[in-house]
Amino acid sequence: MAPPDDPVSPILSLCRSNGLEQYFDLSNGKFSVKGVPLLSEVPSNVTFNHFHSTSQSSDAPFPLIQRVRALSHKGGFLGFNKEEPSDRLMNSLGRFSNRDFLSIFRFKTWWSTMWVGNSGSSLQMETQWVLLDVPEIKSYVIILPIIEGSFRSALHPGTDDHVMICAESGSTQVQASNFDAIAYVHASENPYNLMKEAYSALRVHLNTLRLLEEKTVPNLVDKFGWCTWDAFYLTVEPVGVWHGVKEFVEGGVSPRFLIIDDGWQSINLDGEDLHEDAKNLVLSGTQMTARLHRFEECKKFRNYRGGSMLGPDAPSFDPKKPKLLIAKAIEIEHAEKNRDKAIQSGVTDLSEFETKIQKLKQELKEIIGEEESSASNEGCGSCSCGADNYGMKAFTSDLRTKFKGLDDIYVWHALCGAWGGVRPGATHLSAKVIPCKVSPGLDGTMTDLAVVKIVEGGIGLVNPDQADNLFDAMHSYLSKVGITGVKVDVIHTLEYVSEEYGGRVELAKAYYKGLTHSLQKNFNGTGLIASMHQCNDFFFLGTKQISIGRVGDDFWFQDPNGDPMGVYWLQGVHMIHCAYNSMWMGQIIHPDWDMFQSDHPCAKFHAGSRAICGGPVYVSDSVAGHDFNLIKKLVYPDGTIPKCQHFALPTRDCLFKNPLFDNKTVLKIWNFNKYGGVIGAFNCQGAGWDPKEQRIKGYSDCYKPISCSLHVSEIEWDQKIEAANLCKAEEYVVYLNQAEELRLVTPKSDAIQITIQPSTFELFSFVPIKKIGSSIKFAPIGLTNMFNSGGSVQELEYKTTAVEFSAQMKVKGGGNFLAYSSESPKKCCLNGTEVAFEWSTDGKLTLNLPWVEEAAGNSDVVFAF
């Protein structure tokens, strides 16, 4: 508790009790909510404490504390006691069956996804939370394993429908036997309110995180960008990056942010020269045992000569070269796998395999070439040259000189520096290679190349006492050379190497504290995208400052396990990850749905979801590999986007369903625009998690057309104050973006029925109809050439004078503007000038809008009646 003179103490006294009847009760081996049994056969060593009895010091804003206090009767904490202390304790919380649940579990160390079922035994290992449907009282209950002391927890399946909780420290030197608050439970009548209320309570209780509402998000959240990963993999270099940005600009969509992904750092392998970069790295996997040997950029970028891309003799770029490199590297990978299989089968003469591998490696070396491009200068390549005219600083300066709209340039790095950490002895920091120990809880996760490689090489871990120095050394340099943010990846390696450092919680606290300080100092407190982080350790310990992060696994353009249909079904899996993870992650960080490639066979499917996801839109196109017509349905010419006002979430009727392989459910996600709501319907059927095989695989029998229904009431209007009034309309116009149909509905109308083909979608824009005068009905749809039509309507005002009624709008973007109008307007003015328009008796009112560069693409539109 805070001392008597601590200013926080008066605030904490408010959390003691609100005098309302408590929702939960644990007695006689039953755990109940409002009299309804949730868990039976609860062991006698399990305890329950109401929220107010565990209140601690909190720096949460006073209004947030008041909000939590007002709802404290709806939640509380589960604990348990054991006779013997241990670093890993498993205990039943009781059993349940025949009750629908939605859960989130880790299917890889780094990534989480949804799972549904109806009993404790059908949970998956490493479950991060479980949401129970309680129709008896028209409510929902969440059970959230959390952090207590130096232990973190997760839920696991038990036998005979029991729910198990596992508390672990990650170090045999850190043991405990008693827990008072190792899981939090909360109830609410609204599942979306439930998530807000539960995470608000944990924010106050733990005081190690901040909610999204408390933080500022980075500027790129409503912009278009390009990430270099799928374009180059590890072969990324300045000339290719330059030509990539140039192509977007020339194609009519200027990137506002650039992410230079993995491949720019100075890394090498154990046994190589301590200060020389590793050579000929192409594919992901080859770099995963490498370590950082200096904080500055690698030779490819260090050799960049300022101005070399600005002149008339700027070097060209062959877009075929990365593809050739990648194809050759895949050949090498396959040859090495064949050799390894031969070893496993007992073959002793490997000369034929080794000869082929060496031949392929020589061919790869020849494709890469030894000569330097004309954009480089060998004279600066082997030193840490401070001249502004070389290296990353010169490159970022030239990019901004040429491409005026490029606001942000981010680079990638792993949390521990590189995939394999920092090379001992290579920097001024104290680093030590720590063998990796994978928690037994991850035994049920999917086989993952990254885990295999990291376990193989261990982590060059900088002593946690120097975590502040590590991040500041990296970030202060990057900030000086024009980098405005970082994508921090491979975040959840810390749990592998915590044995000697007080366990995973204490090690994470040290590293996240250093990361937070550096983010505040070097990147304006916002310039960081979190990745490979989808575990409760990170969200409860690492999010004081971080305000945006990935909510899905990587974009996979094909199945790495070889299923040719993976090109299609993996894309639906990605959307499911993002939609359901946003339910919890969106309380703490802004959901980022990740990049995709605009020339992929399912690019349009991805684009439809990104249009209404409420986050940034970015692609990872190869140079000369773009579908600009598709991108322009998402992005304005100036690189901004018609972003929704919230983050997209699944509709209520999808919460306890399986939209991946139940043969009947379409994923529906809802969001808001400023003057309407939107529902996206996506047929993601065809793949999903197989608990027996412990992997995500295709279910070809589910890859087929699926029918569903939609209703305006499925938009959760009350989840944003600004949208609350939109639910009060007596009538709505709904626009089907793909079908190009306009319909009228009321809150009492029957649901709209539709059939969605596999890997396709429909977007439904619902806009309240306004009565103008006594008989005219009007509603602006927006630009129909944009997927998120309603996002283009920036301002809307209805005016009445003695002589006319009018609808006045500010619309961003060029193209076909559509509104519903029950009568034809008398006139239309565009930017102060009367113009022609088209109106048909079915109520379609259309007008062609130009892109006005001087007005940042905004047009003033007035329809007078």
Side-chain angles (χ1 to χ4, degrees), residues 400-606:
R400 289 191 172 94
T401 297
K402 177 67 174 178
F403 308 112
K404 303 297 185 184
L406 190 59
D407 300 321
D408 285 293
I409 303 173
Y410 281 39
V411 296
W412 177 100
H413 74 75
L415 180 69
C416 293
W419 284 89
V422 174
R423 184 97 181 259
T427 72
H428 67 286
L429 300 174
S430 173
K432 176 183 176 183
V433 177
I434 307 294
C436 293
K437 178 183 176 184
V438 181
S439 166
L442 293 172
D443 288 345
T445 56
M446 190 170 171
T447 300
D448 184 5
L449 174 65
V451 175
V452 171
K453 288 292 187 179
I454 290 170
V455 169
E456 173 189 319
I459 299 292
L461 188 71
V462 171
N463 191 294
D465 291 341
Q466 293 184 317
D468 278 74
N469 294 338
L470 167 65
F471 294 115
D472 190 53
M474 288 193 289
H475 297 166
S476 62
Y477 171 75
L478 291 171
S479 179
K480 288 175 184 174
V481 298
I483 301 300
T484 56
V486 285
K487 173 185 171 182
V488 180
D489 217 349
V490 208
I491 284 177
H492 252 276
T493 45
L494 290 180
E495 66 178 272
Y496 293 170
V497 290
S498 58
E499 171 66 28
E500 300 178 27
Y501 300 100
R504 59 194 290 174
V505 171
E506 300 309 318
L507 179 59
K509 283 180 178 178
Y511 262 69
Y512 295 145
K513 177 172 169 284
L515 186 62
T516 294
H517 288 167
S518 182
L519 176 58
Q520 291 168 332
K521 175 188 172 188
N522 297 300
F523 298 129
N524 199 35
T526 61
L528 191 154
I529 300 172
S531 183
M532 297 177 73
H533 60 292
Q534 293 172 5
C535 180
N536 55 9
D537 302 47
F538 169 79
F539 282 92
F540 292 144
L541 299 172
T543 54
K544 276 278 190 179
Q545 193 67 34
I546 295 171
S547 59
I548 189 170
R550 294 261 306 278
V551 288
D553 187 3
D554 292 333
F555 160 74
W556 292 94
F557 65 90
Q558 62 186 16
D559 178 22
N561 295 312
D563 184 342
M565 284 299 291
V567 170
Y568 302 97
W569 58 251
L570 270 169
Q571 316 318 318
V573 171
H574 184 97
M575 292 179 198
I576 297 298
H577 296 334
C578 294
Y580 287 87
N581 275 326
S582 292
M583 291 183 67
W584 66 300
M585 297 180 190
Q587 310 306 320
I588 301 170
I589 59 173
H590 196 98
D592 168 8
W593 282 48
D594 196 23
M595 58 210 175
F596 68 100
Q597 290 182 303
S598 72
D599 64 346
H600 186 273
C602 288
K604 188 176 181 181
F605 192 42
H606 274 286

Side-chain angles (χ1 to χ4, degrees), residues 86-118:
S86 176
D87 61 301
R88 189 170 191 270
L89 305 99
M90 189 81 77
N91 204 87
S92 171
L93 295 177
R95 66 184 298 271
F96 76 90
S97 60
N98 299 315
R99 185 172 297 284
D100 289 341
F101 74 75
L102 165 66
S103 66
I104 292 289
F105 75 100
R106 285 206 284 173
F107 70 96
K108 292 183 181 178
T109 295
W110 343 94
W111 306 119
S112 295
T113 194
M114 64 86 76
W115 186 251
V116 293
N118 62 8

